[in-house]
Amino acid sequence: MEKAELARRLAEIIGSEYVSGDPDTLFIYSHDMTENEPSEPDLVVMPDSVEEVQSIVRLANEQRIPLTPFVAGANVGGLAIPREGGIVVDLKRMKRILEVNEDNMYVIIEPGVTFGHLRACLDNEHPRFRYAYPLSPPYTSVMCNALLDGLTNLSTKHGDMSEWINSLEVVLPTGEVVNIGAAAASKYWFGRAPLPDLAGLFISWQGTTGIVTKMAVQICPKYKYRKRMFVMAYDIDSFFAFVRRCAWTQLYDDIAGFSWPAAKMMVARRVKLTRDPDEPELGAYLDFSGDTKKEMEFKEAMVRDIIKELKDKGIELEPPLLVDDLVKINPDYLKLAEFPTTLDFLIDYGGGGFTWVGSYGPMSKSEEGTKKLFAVMEKYGFPPFLVTRPMKGAHYQVLRFIAPFDKSDQEQVKKVRELCREMAESLLDLGFIPYKAPPWAAELILKRADPNWVKLLKTIKNTLDPNRIMNPGKWGL
Amino acid sequence: MPEVIVEDVGALNLVALITRELINKNLQDPNKSKLIRHLNCTFVLKASRMTMTVIFKDGEVFLKNGAAPKPTVYIEAGLNDFLNIGVGGSYVTALITGRLKIRGIKLWKLLPILKLVRI
């Protein structure tokens, strides 16, 4: 179908003001902050309802036109770059919070609902509740983060964000709308058990199996008291000994970790950084809450006891630094503690490039992985920037290595590509698996994966999307 | 407004960075920035393992990592005590309990410096 004719048909569905083939608009949707190759769509559409999404999908399926779902484009892995052109379906207009169910502790949201929206809604209208928030800007999509196995400041307790999904409404690549989870058989979208869990057909599939148009996610109680602190460690082994010990208590809402460039980048506003050998190498960030002062005192005392216990074993850690104190000196410190957050300290440099290789893997390999990957980053001339966190009650660990770079410098872009590839290979060697895997990383995973798993993946894809219209090029599909 | 002069911000250790922020914040206050006009001294701080030197000279303030030899005043504290005092915690209590150690100067002579490194 000719582009003009396609635009006309799409305009009939959603109105001409929400269809664009304008070169400036297409350029915006052709790239993200990362080193991933840009690729322009033919058209961009902005539907406002499930019926409109359904009609767009039906048309695309009939005409074999690729569709790429999009919200904020901030997944930093080229996941929303339309590899094979076609139509970008920007879901920003679908930004309604359809239900806040306090009694059953969930909210039903549309894809365009951002962390900023949700937090404002809960803080202002449902102050006894909270969702979990990521180290991401407030304009990013709650639904995309959950569908892509993202992590947040409650992941130490509850795991990646797909664990928070109760139910889904999905437009399949053939245009049918299906309810998944409790929503399939109950008017309450309370969970996924006890039905066969079909949510897995859409989680981490990077939009290759359908467009999710509604999602119920869990919310949890917000307690009366909250305290946040940093505990600095002088080496990688001491840091992980502390983090692991704290995580095993299962008392803390969040136990994240940052390597030295994080705090320095925030204050010094420089990418070129040097570590003083007497400086802590990593800092653990603890966030905890409680309903009574006694509970808070106990949790805080426990941190101090753990520091002492480890000191007796020869592991040196600094006593806690309170976030409230640091914020009095520079409010920017809150950007490492209060989420969602702005990432200006990471991206506001010449060229504005920003990338990372994030992975989930065995806690037991965290020290080795960190040491190995720091060496790789230093080899390529990047400060060893790590964000890490024990996940789901310390059952696994996330290691995320971050590299700001100058996107206008082609040499640096090439270097970043090599860096990311080497980091991903090293992580896979250790048993970690990259999450939100860009196409090049997915390729590395697929090469090493069980061939029958890959075969099953392809079978499912072909069954759900026989004309291969949904976000082609992702997961090698 | 005067500002702390640093050769390479990206090389400063965490304590030096925090001290730079504390002093710069205070220098925005005209009453406090007046203090540096006649202050000529070298101040070394060791917070846990990290050391840094602040030089007040002819109305300018220089800051760097490491300890200058023969400073006018030498202060030692834990990182958490340094931070606590920096944001207004009691240095007298820290001094009495031994968590803060000062050498080379009488306490009352230290007051102008303290006014510049605390908020």
Side-chain angles (χ1 to χ4, degrees):
Chain A
M1 186 184 279
E2 287 294 313
K3 189 170 156 179
E5 173 60 9
L6 178 62
R8 194 191 61 75
R9 294 274 302 271
L10 289 166
E12 276 174 13
I13 299 168
I14 56 172
S16 57
E17 64 271 45
Y18 297 112
V19 180
S20 178
D22 168 58
D24 291 344
T25 306
L26 301 184
F27 172 75
I28 292 168
Y29 289 89
S30 71
H31 65 278
D32 59 18
M33 287 186 284
T34 68
E35 76 291 353
N36 287 282
E37 283 288 350
S39 173
E40 273 191 8
D42 298 306
L43 291 165
V44 176
V45 295
M46 296 183 83
D48 187 40
S49 67
V50 62
E51 291 77 17
E52 288 180 357
V53 173
Q54 228 181 334
S55 302
I56 293 163
V57 171
R58 279 195 178 126
L59 173 63
N61 192 41
E62 172 198 306
Q63 298 296 324
R64 316 277 201 270
I65 297 165
L67 290 177
T68 303
F70 182 102
V71 180
N75 282 312
V76 290
L79 303 185
I81 294 176
R83 288 263 82 87
E84 299 184 12
I87 304 166
V88 164
V89 184
D90 186 337
L91 299 156
K92 268 190 203 71
R93 288 176 68 215
M94 296 175 68
K95 57 179 182 190
R96 287 160 285 251
I97 296 171
L98 299 165
E99 183 183 348
V100 179
N101 193 319
E102 290 197 357
D103 293 336
N104 298 302
M105 291 207 288
Y106 64 76
V107 293
I108 301 179
I109 54 169
E110 291 187 326
V113 172
T114 65
F115 285 101
H117 282 145
L118 185 57
R119 177 155 182 183
C121 168
L122 293 178
D123 285 357
N124 299 330
E125 293 162 43
H126 308 272
R128 290 190 303 122
F129 294 90
R130 62 179 169 166
Y131 188 58
Y133 306 103
L135 177 73
S136 301
Y139 57 78
T140 50
S141 161
V142 173
M143 188 185 282
C144 292
N145 189 46
L147 284 174
L148 291 168
D149 280 329
L151 64 152
T152 64
N153 61 352
L154 290 177
S155 290
T156 293
K157 264 195 172 170
H158 302 280
D160 69 75
M161 294 317 291
S162 68
E163 310 254 5
W164 294 59
I165 299 174
N166 280 359
S167 286
L168 303 170
E169 175 194 83
V170 188
V171 177
L172 297 176
T174 41
E176 298 93 337
V177 177
V178 58
N179 281 353
I180 304 286
S186 166
K187 63 179 177 176
Y188 298 102
W189 292 31
F190 62 85
R192 275 146 60 183
L195 301 172
D197 190 4
L198 299 186
L201 296 174
F202 307 96
I203 294 167
S204 252
W205 280 80
Q206 303 182 356
T208 59
T209 49
I211 298 180
V212 179
T213 43
K214 288 186 188 71
M215 177 186 281
V217 287
Q218 295 162 11
I219 50 174
C220 52
K222 183 154 82 181
Y223 299 114
K224 203 170 164 187
Y225 300 99
R226 184 182 183 194
K227 199 157 195 172
R228 291 165 291 183
M229 51 177 59
F230 289 107
V231 174
M232 311 303 252
Y234 288 94
D235 59 76
I236 292 167
D237 292 325
S238 306
F239 167 80
F240 280 107
F242 174 71
V243 163
R244 193 171 284 125
R245 180 68 186 83
C246 288
W248 283 1
T249 65
Q250 311 225 341
L251 286 175
Y252 303 101
D253 295 347
D254 192 15
I255 309 166
F258 302 92
S259 58
W260 62 269
K264 289 179 79 161
M265 213 176 262
M266 181 169 291
V267 183
R269 297 279 167 168
R270 295 280 187 290
V271 181
K272 285 193 169 49
L273 300 164
T274 322
R275 179 179 169 226
D276 178 340
D278 292 325
E279 200 166 20
E281 191 168 15
L282 291 135
Y285 161 70
L286 280 99
D287 185 346
F288 52 97
S289 54
D291 251 348
T292 65
K293 281 187 178 167
K294 259 191 180 170
E295 190 183 348
M296 294 298 283
E297 281 162 12
F298 173 76
K299 287 179 179 177
E300 186 168 351
M302 201 59 194
V303 177
R304 294 179 196 280
D305 286 352
I306 289 170
I307 293 172
K308 191 177 172 304
E309 176 193 312
L310 292 174
K311 194 177 179 183
D312 293 344
K313 291 180 184 166
I315 295 167
E316 196 192 340
L317 298 154
E318 287 294 333
L321 306 177
L322 301 180
V323 170
D324 287 350
D325 285 347
L326 284 162
V327 169
K328 283 179 198 159
I329 299 170
N330 184 345
D332 274 357
Y333 280 110
L334 211 52
K335 290 177 184 173
L336 286 177
E338 187 69 45
F339 305 148
T341 185
T342 54
L343 297 177
D344 53 339
F345 69 101
L346 289 176
I347 53 182
D348 280 359
Y349 301 103
F354 177 76
T355 194
W356 52 265
V357 174
S359 61
Y360 294 152
M363 275 205 88
S364 59
K365 290 284 178 184
S366 301
E367 289 89 334
E368 193 183 340
T370 302
K371 287 174 193 172
K372 204 169 168 183
L373 274 282
F374 277 6
V376 174
M377 293 193 89
E378 279 163 358
K379 185 177 91 180
Y380 283 89
F382 288 89
F385 194 140
L386 168 74
V387 177
T388 183
R389 173 181 275 127
M391 303 280 288
K392 205 180 181 184
H395 285 89
Y396 59 102
Q397 184 82 18
V398 57
L399 294 179
R400 177 158 62 162
F401 299 90
I402 295 172
F405 66 100
D406 183 349
K407 233 180 146 177
S408 64
D409 177 348
Q410 284 313 301
E411 270 306 301
Q412 211 173 107
V413 173
K414 192 173 159 239
K415 200 155 89 168
V416 161
R417 284 192 184 132
E418 287 167 14
L419 165 74
C420 288
R421 186 166 281 268
E422 190 169 335
M423 289 201 293
E425 292 269 22
S426 301
L427 287 163
L428 283 161
D429 287 345
L430 287 160
F432 282 80
I433 302 171
Y435 68 96
K436 296 185 183 175
W440 60 266
E443 203 179 294
L444 298 180
I445 298 169
L446 292 170
K447 256 188 214 165
R448 295 175 184 231
D450 171 5
N452 284 334
W453 178 83
V454 178
K455 200 173 146 192
L456 181 60
L457 200 73
K458 288 182 176 164
T459 306
I460 292 167
K461 166 71 175 176
N462 293 339
T463 307
L464 289 172
D465 184 13
N467 294 322
R468 197 178 161 269
I469 60 161
M470 287 307 309
N471 210 3
K474 310 299 181 316
W475 278 121
L477 299 167
Chain B
M1 285 293 168
E3 276 202 350
V4 175
I5 299 163
V6 170
E7 205 174 295
D8 178 5
V9 180
L12 290 182
N13 64 40
L14 203 56
V15 168
L17 278 169
I18 292 173
T19 306
R20 173 176 163 260
E21 299 209 302
L22 286 166
I23 299 176
N24 276 340
K25 213 172 189 131
N26 285 319
L27 290 178
Q28 285 172 15
D29 174 350
N31 287 327
K32 287 187 179 176
S33 73
K34 266 196 303 200
L35 293 170
I36 64 165
R37 276 188 220 152
H38 307 293
L39 198 59
N40 281 300
C41 71
T42 302
F43 148 57
V44 167
L45 170 73
K46 184 168 192 283
S48 295
R49 291 185 191 179
M50 288 169 275
T51 51
M52 54 126 230
T53 300
V54 184
I55 301 166
F56 296 97
K57 196 179 173 192
D58 303 328
E60 291 188 310
V61 190
F62 303 88
L63 188 146
K64 59 185 180 184
N65 285 354
K70 297 182 185 167
T72 323
V73 57
Y74 177 91
I75 298 180
E76 199 174 330
L79 184 57
N80 61 327
D81 288 312
F82 155 72
L83 182 66
N84 181 261
I85 293 166
V87 296
S90 167
Y91 57 87
V92 178
T93 311
L95 207 56
I96 293 167
T97 53
R99 289 181 288 117
L100 174 69
K101 295 184 182 83
I102 300 173
R103 287 204 303 265
I105 201 169
K106 299 283 181 208
L107 186 59
W108 62 270
K109 282 191 175 175
L110 185 66
L111 290 177
I113 298 174
L114 282 174
K115 278 186 184 166
L116 289 165
V117 296
R118 300 174 78 220
I119 50 169

